[in-house]
Amino acid sequence: MTEECFPDEFVWGVATAAYQIEGAVTADGRGPSVWDMLCRKEGAIWAGHDADVTTDHYHHWRQDVALFRELGVGGYRFSIAWPRVQPDGVGAVNDKGLGFYDRLVDTLLEAGITPYATLFHWDMPLAVYHRGGWLNRDVCGWFGDYAEVVVKALGDRVHHWLTLNEPQVFVGCGHYDGRHAPGVRYSMSEMLRCGHHALLAHGHAVQRIRAHAASARVGYAPMAFPKVPRTEADEDVAAAYRIFGSMRQATHWNLPWWTDPVVFGEYPEDGLRVFGKDVPAFPSSDLAQINQPIDFLGLNLYDGQVVVSGADGEAEVVPHPPGAPITGFNWPMTPEAMYWGPKFAYQRYGKPIAITENGVSLRDWPSMDGRVHDPQRVDFLNRYLRNLHRAVAEGVPVEAYFHWSALDNFEWADGFRERFGLIHVDYQTAKRTPKDSYYWYRRVIETNGAALLGVEAASAYTQRFEVERKRVASILEAFPNADR
Ligand code: FCB
């Protein structure tokens, strides 16, 4: 690798999830999911939106793959809808549903795009929820059976698998604060039980994948919760790393509770302490079952918390300063998280890393010229990817980067308010319009990252305003001091 770019085998990709893009919720025998149920619940989704149609990818997937091919991605991370494959969650397999992914995989391969399939991105079959969902220990075996069906069908062509997407969110938001499907507010101990079963289900799925696709590379995609030292002084770096790997509060918003059992075969001690009596009782053999070897650790990474070593040496979180950049979702923009996140995760877990999600929501719309100009996305990505490059250049084994998202889509409880895509979608017509960032990312991919390293890349889209910008600059120059 030269300093200017990423390793030759680095995978530049885009990511989506079935429920957010597919639509066609009753087509070809698909069963209902917990999200279909939540979408029917008054007040659950922003502005009463639902995902019955969303981008209608189920009927536009060929066009979408063609756009991904033109983008030049090496990998596409998508998820498989369990209720399409097994409408009742257990038993009968719906060949039509499975057939959709079968064709998708073939078409991706023809386009030279490596499929990365996620088995679970939150759309649990409603019938499984009616049998207790994640609270019922039997779900672990059912999920294993589902994984086996999928891997038997696709494992000859799909060599990269992810088991669960963000257990912190589907367990915590779904079963504790109730914002996500199934929208219940269990007690802390019930939520932790659900979480334990999800981890166990992960273990079952890994075993089934290995049993039916011997050469598969298997990963897991938790939310990353990166920490960023405020300065690069040793004490700040050490403080940030300490917080990254510790659990100081009884909350599901952390990485170690969800990743230590997977990689080390044990829950973190401080987590057991803070959760105390709420930790579910389970047979000790569960930990070995959860601790199946994984080949890479996925990180969904959007922002990080800044940490400083305080006066008494205690690690302290520094709030995002007032007015500092935030995204459409009001998430802080913290590009350094893309350096420290993978670095700390590798330091703690020792697994190769794939950035399974990263991106930004903005209020994009087609301009009068018919194009979608999103310079803030370009700037955001330029900053984050330069930080990723720094991690890679320093030897952190990051194999892949999947931009969230390929196209605008249904953002869960926030409906269609948030637009994360490189491709704009008009939800009334299903019309796709690649945004400026799509063309920019295309150039990044084409140059294997070299295009990131010149500032021209980020400013290219505003250069046509050169004359106006000069005029404004001269106005500013005329008033060199702030008015007093
Ligand atoms: C992640 C989810 C993904 C998407 C992004 C914005 O938490 O995994 O589906 O909603 O956030």
Side-chain angles (χ1 to χ4, degrees):
M1 175 181 112
T2 66
E3 236 188 67
E4 278 82 47
C5 50
F6 284 72
D8 289 343
E9 59 286 0
F10 190 79
V11 177
W12 294 99
V14 284
T16 62
Y19 194 68
Q20 294 178 275
I21 63 166
E22 286 180 0
V25 290
T26 54
D28 296 337
R30 177 187 179 278
S33 75
V34 288
W35 271 97
D36 296 298
M37 180 262 284
L38 192 72
C39 285
R40 295 287 166 277
K41 213 164 133 188
E42 178 110 29
I45 313 292
W46 187 77
H49 294 168
D50 64 56
D52 287 1
V53 179
T54 176
T55 79
D56 202 21
H57 170 75
Y58 196 76
H59 299 114
H60 292 75
W61 62 277
R62 283 190 192 280
Q63 188 185 42
D64 290 337
V65 174
L67 287 175
F68 303 164
R69 177 186 207 151
E70 170 61 23
L71 180 57
V73 290
Y76 173 47
R77 175 182 176 225
F78 61 98
S79 82
I80 291 167
W82 185 357
R84 264 193 214 291
V85 174
Q86 285 179 297
D88 296 324
V90 293
V93 173
N94 174 28
D95 289 333
K96 280 192 176 170
L98 208 47
F100 173 71
Y101 301 105
D102 194 69
R103 291 189 297 278
L104 176 67
V105 164
D106 281 345
T107 308
L108 287 168
L109 292 172
E110 279 159 31
I113 300 171
T114 302
Y116 282 67
T118 303
L119 287 169
F120 186 73
H121 202 128
W122 307 356
D123 42 0
M124 171 180 269
L126 188 58
V128 173
Y129 172 63
H130 287 157
R131 293 178 169 206
W134 289 113
L135 210 45
N136 180 350
R137 193 178 163 93
D138 290 344
V139 74
C140 309
W142 298 338
F143 187 69
D145 293 344
Y146 152 68
E148 180 168 321
V149 169
V150 175
V151 173
K152 272 183 166 169
L154 306 178
D156 56 335
R157 288 154 292 153
V158 176
H159 304 300
H160 296 82
W161 295 91
L162 288 144
T163 54
L164 308 179
N165 183 74
E166 294 186 357
Q168 298 105 323
V169 180
F170 76 77
V171 174
C173 295
H175 304 82
Y176 189 66
D177 65 33
R179 247 175 68 72
H180 278 199
V184 291
R185 292 179 179 220
Y186 289 157
S187 66
M188 179 66 88
S189 72
E190 286 171 313
M191 184 270 279
L192 291 177
R193 183 172 296 283
C194 290
H196 183 72
H197 293 156
L199 292 172
L200 207 48
H202 155 86
H204 279 271
V206 178
Q207 280 183 327
R208 304 292 185 101
I209 298 169
R210 302 253 185 247
H212 298 281
S215 63
R217 284 180 64 72
V218 187
Y220 167 65
M223 230 177 143
F225 294 103
K227 305 293 174 232
V228 175
R230 188 164 72 180
T231 74
E232 298 203 359
D234 289 351
E235 56 279 16
D236 283 346
V237 173
Y241 186 67
R242 251 189 345 267
I243 295 215
F244 171 76
S246 64
M247 288 185 57
R248 306 197 294 183
Q249 282 156 356
T251 165
H252 53 275
W253 295 118
N254 68 82
L255 184 66
W257 185 259
W258 306 93
T259 308
D260 283 19
V262 167
V263 179
F264 304 139
E266 49 194 33
Y267 281 110
E269 260 174 40
D270 51 1
L272 292 170
R273 216 170 30 245
V274 293
F275 283 135
K277 62 177 182 11
D278 288 328
V279 176
F282 54 82
S284 56
S285 56
D286 280 6
L287 288 169
Q289 176 69 32
I290 294 170
N291 179 217
Q292 301 298 316
I294 55 169
D295 301 300
F296 64 98
L297 178 63
L299 295 177
N300 287 1
L301 194 159
Y302 292 88
D303 56 52
Q305 278 180 325
V306 175
V307 175
V308 68
S309 168
D312 52 1
E314 270 288 299
E316 290 168 15
V317 172
V318 184
H320 200 54
I326 53 172
T327 70
F329 229 153
N330 296 334
W331 295 352
M333 184 176 74
T334 51
E336 299 76 17
M338 193 54 104
Y339 168 68
W340 293 103
K343 188 179 162 87
F344 284 170
Y346 181 60
Q347 201 170 322
R348 184 174 178 88
Y349 295 112
K351 295 284 174 193
I353 306 283
I355 303 300
T356 33
E357 286 182 24
N358 168 247
V360 55
S361 77
L362 297 169
R363 302 282 187 266
D364 308 311
W365 64 75
S367 293
M368 288 173 71
D369 64 3
R371 302 195 181 147
V372 182
H373 304 294
D374 57 345
Q376 287 188 317
R377 181 168 289 104
V378 171
D379 186 66
F380 178 101
L381 291 178
N382 206 334
R383 291 171 191 263
Y384 275 69
L385 288 173
R386 286 168 74 121
N387 275 281
L388 184 63
H389 177 260
R390 180 179 172 203
V392 169
E394 288 180 16
V396 180
V398 184
E399 301 182 349
Y401 170 88
F402 294 93
H403 180 264
W404 185 272
S405 178
L407 55 163
D408 291 340
N409 59 57
F410 177 76
E411 181 47 41
W412 308 111
D414 296 282
F416 296 106
R417 193 187 61 211
E418 306 302 325
R419 290 184 179 270
F420 274 94
L422 296 171
I423 301 169
H424 180 274
V425 177
D426 178 331
Y427 298 109
Q428 271 63 56
T429 60
K431 181 179 175 203
R432 275 84 167 131
T433 308
K435 304 178 189 177
D436 286 353
S437 56
Y438 168 98
Y439 298 102
W440 176 83
Y441 188 45
R442 186 179 185 281
R443 180 86 188 119
V444 171
I445 296 171
E446 196 176 61
T447 60
N448 196 20
L452 291 167
L453 302 171
V455 278
E456 303 77 28
S459 61
Y461 298 101
T462 52
Q463 264 164 19
R464 73 191 106 122
F465 300 122
E466 213 43 50
V467 175
E468 289 84 340
R469 283 199 304 145
K470 281 199 183 125
R471 210 158 55 219
V472 171
S474 67
I475 294 171
L476 292 171
E477 264 167 36
F479 298 91
N481 299 314
D483 290 337
R484 298 213 176 83

